[in-house]
Amino acid sequence: MTVSSYWTRLGILLCTIIIKDASLDLVVNVRNQGGDIYKEEILSDVNEETINLSFESPGDGSTVLLFIDFKNEIQIIQTDVLGEEELTGDPPFMSYCFVTKFIKGDFIPPDAMTKLRQKNPWSIRIPERQLSLSSSESDATHPNSTLDSLLATGKHSDWISPHLKTICKESVTYVNKLDLMSNFHENGNNSESFLRAVRPVIIATSDCSTVTRASGVPCLCSHPVCVGWFPCALKYCRNKGDTGGTVKTYRCGIHTCKSCRNYLFPVNNRFNCL
């Protein structure tokens, strides 16, 4: 694909978001640690039980889509990473999808998301705390998520999430096989469905940063993704009732978080790792 096709795809994505204005729940201005300010657009769908958070990274211009399927407990990171024009042989951009398990307590549910409103849409948002995208990770700063398999997105991946075939249609899609095993067995699938959807990838042990471009050997690519601001939990307050001094609990706001994860995945050669 050419650079022009990349920007055409980006334009289509943005137009789609604008057209679906009725579903647009929140647009926030976020300041990152470097002082850059960028916009995040967050959409939620109560019927589908999904949340869609998208932004353009101020550092390298790559686009990031965080899609959460609460019904199937699946998280999808779709990112288009721009290549470096001065490096001969680099593709203009690479499109990746990283599919992992999602823990429901890491993001407020879609029904709560639809109730959020911004009093000051011009305000600059800074998260209250930093979390891992997976609460099972011990390092909440830049936890690693190693992805060891490729996913064929289509009807054979619907048991993982029916949204994959749309979101990751034009992306190389990586998963961790063991990460998906629990979903597979819980949904009563047969082994044929799993084999058609999940395929092994080439084994690589060397980091791509240590491999020369001319070598053409497989290597382990590293791609960090940070979501700078999102509503990670509901805030509850307490007050005393009118009679009997009974304490009542009610929703009174949200807690906000930042999450970073470093995705590790094997590629055939360094040219496929931007």
Side-chain angles (χ1 to χ4, degrees):
M1 292 187 181
T2 63
V3 175
S4 61
S5 65
Y6 165 81
W7 289 112
T8 299
R9 285 182 59 200
L10 177 59
I12 292 173
L13 172 64
L14 294 176
C15 287
T16 303
I17 292 173
I18 293 171
I19 290 171
K20 294 181 178 179
D21 187 60
S23 300
L24 187 59
D25 295 323
L26 210 58
V27 178
V28 296
N29 300 303
V30 181
R31 188 195 305 276
N32 64 16
Q33 287 184 330
D36 298 312
I37 297 173
Y38 63 96
K39 288 186 181 296
E40 287 183 359
E41 299 187 4
I42 310 175
L43 301 92
S44 59
D45 190 319
V46 176
N47 294 327
E48 292 290 330
E49 296 184 44
T50 61
I51 285 180
N52 176 326
L53 185 154
S54 61
F55 61 93
E56 181 177 318
S57 174
D60 56 12
S62 61
T63 60
V64 177
L65 168 66
L66 166 63
F67 186 92
I68 301 174
D69 181 346
F70 282 78
K71 189 180 298 182
N72 293 290
E73 298 185 20
I74 288 294
Q75 174 181 282
I76 305 168
I77 290 284
Q78 194 281 327
T79 178
D80 290 338
V81 186
L82 293 175
E84 298 185 42
E85 294 182 1
E86 64 271 17
L87 294 179
T88 305
D90 259 13
F93 75 96
M94 289 292 294
S95 184
Y96 303 112
C97 264
F98 307 125
V99 183
T100 55
K101 285 279 291 180
F102 171 71
I103 298 174
K104 290 184 178 181
D106 288 348
F107 208 114
I108 68 171
D111 62 332
M113 190 72 217
T114 58
K115 295 179 175 64
L116 296 185
R117 296 293 181 268
Q118 272 203 104
K119 294 181 179 179
N120 302 311
W122 55 86
S123 297
I124 308 300
R125 306 296 176 182
I126 299 173
E128 295 171 340
R129 59 180 184 262
Q130 179 163 319
L131 297 178
S132 161
L133 282 177
S134 170
S135 60
S136 63
E137 300 283 358
S138 59
D139 179 6
T141 305
H142 281 88
N144 291 328
S145 182
T146 302
L147 307 170
D148 58 10
S149 302
L150 286 170
L151 184 67
T153 55
K155 63 180 182 180
H156 298 304
S157 66
D158 280 351
W159 59 270
I160 302 172
S161 172
H163 306 282
L164 277 164
K165 57 178 175 283
T166 301
I167 298 170
C168 302
K169 181 180 180 180
E170 298 183 28
S171 304
V172 182
T173 305
Y174 288 91
V175 297
N176 183 288
K177 184 164 62 174
L178 291 178
D179 204 22
L180 300 178
M181 288 298 289
S182 59
N183 274 36
F184 177 75
H185 292 301
E186 286 172 6
N187 293 335
N189 296 285
N190 55 47
S191 58
E192 184 180 355
S193 299
F194 191 89
L195 292 174
R196 286 183 176 182
V198 181
R199 304 194 304 267
V201 291
I202 194 166
I203 297 175
T205 56
S206 300
D207 192 286
C208 285
S209 62
T210 66
V211 175
T212 63
R213 291 175 175 270
S215 66
V217 299
C219 57
L220 199 59
C221 188
S222 172
H223 186 69
V225 176
C226 283
V227 180
W229 185 97
F230 64 95
C232 53
L234 295 171
K235 185 181 295 184
Y236 290 90
C237 297
R238 298 189 302 172
N239 64 358
K240 292 184 178 180
D242 296 334
T243 59
T246 303
V247 176
K248 294 184 178 180
T249 302
Y250 62 97
R251 293 181 184 180
C252 58
I254 57 172
H255 292 287
T256 60
C257 297
K258 170 187 176 181
S259 294
C260 292
R261 175 177 279 183
N262 189 33
Y263 292 94
L264 302 175
F265 53 98
V267 293
N268 290 328
N269 57 70
R270 187 174 172 179
F271 286 106
N272 293 327
C273 179
L274 299 182

